[in-house]
Amino acid sequence: MTNLASNEVEALAPRIAYELITPAAAAEIQSLTRRHCCNPRRLDPAHARRLARDMASGLWDEDNPEVICICGHGAVIQGQHRLEAVIISDLPRRFLVSRGVPHSASVTMDSGKTRSAAVALSTAGVERYRKDLSSTVKLLRLYDVERKTTPWTAWSSSSFTNSEIVGFFQSDYQDLAEQLPQMNALKSALWSAPSASLASSYLLYRDGGEIEVAEFLQGLVSGANLGETDPRWVLRRFFLNPTRNRRGSAVSPHQIGLFLKCWNLWITGETWEISYFRPNETMPLVISVTDAAQMREMRLEFA
């Protein structure tokens, strides 16, 4: 097959069927692709690793009808990342494979609109606020898993597959939608980013203390009866400053850091002269009401 002339290769009629692709078979197809230069699209190793995570964790759906297209040379012209993921995960996978696809077909491949994680959440029964929820799930996952290892300034460069976002939502954050009213209250009062408002509210209620968090957020939203030494008054001044940065990939993680830092200062009885959350700071761990009481007692003992 590899000795066919170009016109003969193009003349082959495509055949389509489900095939079990082993890591060895995927490696051979990738090798033929490099040898014949049939796929001009550069391989994205990070994307291949994300797909491999899906395959290794059981999130990959083998009934996905998206076709892997193989030309007459035996090289892949669509599906190289899925094949690379098979190699990385070292697991055989079943795909719908079309063989004998002419090279000219690549011109119209991948021309459809990509499905977002927000659309994927509809499969989990989410009907409203899907964009905000999907963005927040990503932030929560980074907070819970990579808070200490990945600087918050690099969170925007981390990405998950749609299957991972849906999986995280269903396994860890299915109660996230309960905080949507609080998200709307924060962003209406402070013009804060929706995903930052939702993530912060969720983390505070999850790891702080329900009654105290409600009081903290109520004061942050209303601004009523706040003294100038109250961290919430300082944070409100930051958010209501018309010159603050409202755009950019780091805005949401930065705002989460500010929300959590403000809570930690408030619950431990400390003050804040000016709100700041620097790039070299680690994303704060939410201090619980119990831990805060112990910290205040220790501070009094050493006073």
Side-chain angles (χ1 to χ4, degrees):
M1 183 70 71
T2 57
N3 294 325
L4 289 174
S6 296
N7 59 341
E8 293 175 314
V9 170
E10 298 288 342
L12 291 174
R15 306 179 306 279
I16 185 168
Y18 276 107
E19 296 184 20
L20 185 68
I21 303 294
T22 65
E28 174 63 19
I29 295 171
Q30 297 288 65
S31 176
L32 289 170
T33 303
R34 291 188 293 270
R35 182 189 308 172
H36 296 284
C37 301
C38 295
N39 193 337
R41 188 180 187 184
R42 181 177 297 178
L43 181 73
D44 181 352
H47 181 56
R49 288 194 296 270
R50 288 192 291 270
L51 296 181
R53 290 201 306 264
D54 280 356
M55 294 178 182
S57 63
L59 293 173
W60 186 261
D61 186 358
E62 290 191 337
D63 292 324
N64 187 327
E66 191 171 356
V67 179
I68 288 181
C69 297
I70 309 294
C71 71
H73 293 125
V76 60
I77 59 176
Q78 178 170 274
Q80 63 172 334
H81 291 95
R82 282 168 282 167
L83 293 177
E84 192 69 18
V86 169
I87 298 171
I88 295 171
S89 64
D90 197 28
L91 293 169
R93 288 292 172 188
R94 188 177 70 125
F95 299 101
L96 193 59
V97 179
S98 180
R99 292 185 178 272
V101 177
H103 295 138
S104 57
S106 64
V107 175
T108 55
M109 288 179 179
D110 299 317
S111 58
K113 183 175 176 59
T114 303
R115 293 179 184 269
S116 65
V119 172
L121 275 181
S122 63
T123 63
V126 178
E127 297 181 356
R128 302 171 64 241
Y129 294 100
R130 288 196 296 257
K131 183 177 179 180
D132 294 330
L133 288 167
S134 62
S135 300
T136 304
V137 166
K138 174 187 174 181
L139 291 170
L140 291 173
R141 180 67 178 182
L142 289 167
Y143 177 90
D144 285 337
V145 177
E146 300 187 37
R147 185 181 65 84
K148 293 183 178 180
T149 57
T150 303
W152 64 267
T153 51
W155 281 15
S156 60
S157 61
S158 300
S159 60
F160 301 103
T161 64
N162 291 351
S163 295
E164 286 179 313
I165 293 295
V166 173
F168 298 152
F169 174 77
Q170 292 178 319
S171 63
D172 300 320
Y173 309 115
Q174 202 156 23
D175 57 342
L176 181 58
E178 295 176 8
Q179 296 301 323
L180 286 171
Q182 190 61 65
M183 176 197 76
N184 287 326
L186 285 170
K187 72 176 186 178
S188 295
L190 305 176
W191 294 95
S192 52
S195 58
S197 305
L198 183 56
S200 300
S201 177
Y202 180 86
L203 290 170
L204 291 177
Y205 272 106
R206 188 190 72 178
D207 302 336
E210 185 172 348
I211 296 175
E212 292 79 3
V213 169
E215 179 186 351
F216 170 80
L217 293 176
Q218 182 179 9
L220 193 57
V221 168
S222 68
N225 303 317
L226 299 183
E228 292 186 8
T229 59
D230 191 316
R232 294 172 295 176
W233 184 88
V234 177
L235 187 58
R236 280 179 56 84
R237 188 172 60 180
F238 165 81
F239 274 109
L240 298 179
N241 183 346
T243 64
R244 72 173 172 87
N245 185 19
R246 299 173 187 268
R247 297 180 178 273
S249 57
V251 165
S252 287
H254 180 246
Q255 291 184 8
I256 292 174
L258 288 169
F259 276 125
L260 302 188
K261 194 170 184 178
C262 182
W263 158 265
N264 288 346
L265 291 169
W266 180 79
I267 197 63
T268 56
E270 298 186 49
T271 59
W272 207 10
E273 293 184 3
I274 184 171
S275 59
Y276 63 89
F277 184 53
R278 299 188 176 96
N280 61 348
E281 292 186 66
T282 301
M283 183 63 66
L285 182 67
V286 175
I287 297 177
S288 68
V289 171
T290 302
D291 290 342
Q294 293 176 352
M295 293 171 68
R296 288 194 299 269
E297 289 177 3
M298 291 178 62
R299 195 162 60 241
L300 289 173
E301 289 178 4
F302 291 99

